[in-house]
Structure formats: structure tokens, C-alpha cells
Amino acid sequence: MPKYMTKQRKALLAFLEQHADEELSARQIEQALCGDGISISAVYRNLSELQKERKVRKVTKSDSREVYYLYTDCDHCKECLHLSCKKCGKTYHMNSEGAQMLVRNLAQSDEFAIDKADTVLYGVCRDCQKKHEE
């Protein structure tokens, strides 16, 4: 827990909680919070601290050099595997039955324990697949 909660940190946390299923760049966050007087350096500084506290996950995509951040401190994110669409960038929670089966199978067959808090599977979501078919 941080020693103090600044106005900037409160605004950033509130914004991230409202966008918990989105991977956002620091620039996108700064632009959304510009009315709150938060500079890009304050966004980066706070994101770095939140990452150390494991409240935010830093994400890079294979087809981009840009860094994105995903808020993971909300209750519905804590024990979820995440699915991220490479086309639209939206992040989804994998249904718990499917996630449990995947984690269990990997633990048994490959003797590999998945860290759910840090696992993101990339692919293409249903909506983007439909758009491609049209």
C-alpha cells in the first residue's frame, strides 16, 4: 500500500477501475485524465508504482513496440486468465471452467504451474472474427 494517496493517484485508480478490461497505453490514460491535470510523467510514475504493487500488468504485443497497461486489482481479475484480442485490443476473462481445466491439464501433463495473475493468451475475439468474415 502506498504511503499516501495523491489526487493524481486517486484519479488514475478510478479511471483504471472503470476500464479494467482494457489494455491502455500511458498516452491514452494521460489524454483521458488531462482534465484532472495529470501529466504524462505522473502517469508513468504512478503506473510504475502500481506495477510494483501488482495492481497493474505491463503488456507488450508482438506486432507493436508500444507498451500497454492492464489493471488487475479488481475482484473479478484476481484469479482469472485473460484473453486479449490482437485486432481490437479488448481483454476478456477466460471462463472459470475453461481456465481451471487448462491450468489443471498443464499442471498434470507438463508439470507446469501457471501464474494466473501474469498470464494473457492472445488471439482474435468473436466480434473481430465476424468482421473479418463479412
Side-chain angles (χ1 to χ4, degrees):
M1 184 77 179
K3 293 182 180 179
Y4 56 92
M5 181 68 77
T6 65
K7 177 184 168 190
Q8 292 177 335
R9 187 178 175 101
K10 284 181 186 175
L12 176 62
L13 282 170
F15 177 78
L16 291 173
E17 286 172 6
Q18 292 171 355
H19 297 86
D21 290 336
E22 296 176 50
E23 294 174 354
L24 301 164
S25 69
R27 181 66 61 196
Q28 289 173 308
I29 295 168
E30 184 260 340
Q31 289 172 350
L33 296 174
C34 67
D36 294 319
I38 298 177
S39 68
I40 190 71
S41 61
V43 170
Y44 276 113
R45 185 174 52 255
N46 279 288
L47 286 171
S48 178
E49 288 301 314
L50 291 170
Q51 187 180 358
K52 288 176 190 172
E53 296 166 19
R54 296 184 56 94
K55 294 182 178 186
V56 168
R57 180 183 323 129
K58 195 179 199 179
V59 179
T60 55
K61 298 180 182 180
S62 61
D63 61 341
S64 172
R65 292 183 357 186
E66 186 149 19
V67 174
Y68 296 89
Y69 298 87
L70 178 65
Y71 183 68
T72 58
D73 197 43
C74 50
D75 288 337
H76 64 279
C77 278
K78 296 253 187 214
E79 286 296 315
C80 287
L81 290 176
H82 292 88
L83 305 172
S84 181
C85 180
K86 295 188 325 185
K87 299 255 185 213
C88 68
K90 184 158 172 75
T91 300
Y92 301 86
H93 293 111
M94 188 172 180
N95 75 55
S96 65
E97 184 179 315
Q100 288 173 4
M101 187 170 47
L102 176 63
V103 168
R104 189 174 46 250
N105 285 345
L106 282 172
Q108 290 172 354
S109 66
D110 295 315
E111 298 180 1
F112 189 83
I114 293 179
D115 179 354
K116 288 191 257 181
D118 277 337
T119 302
V120 179
L121 303 174
Y122 293 93
V124 180
C125 72
R126 182 182 325 162
D127 291 340
C128 289
Q129 289 176 39
K130 287 181 184 176
K131 288 177 189 173
H132 181 71
E133 292 170 0
E134 295 173 351

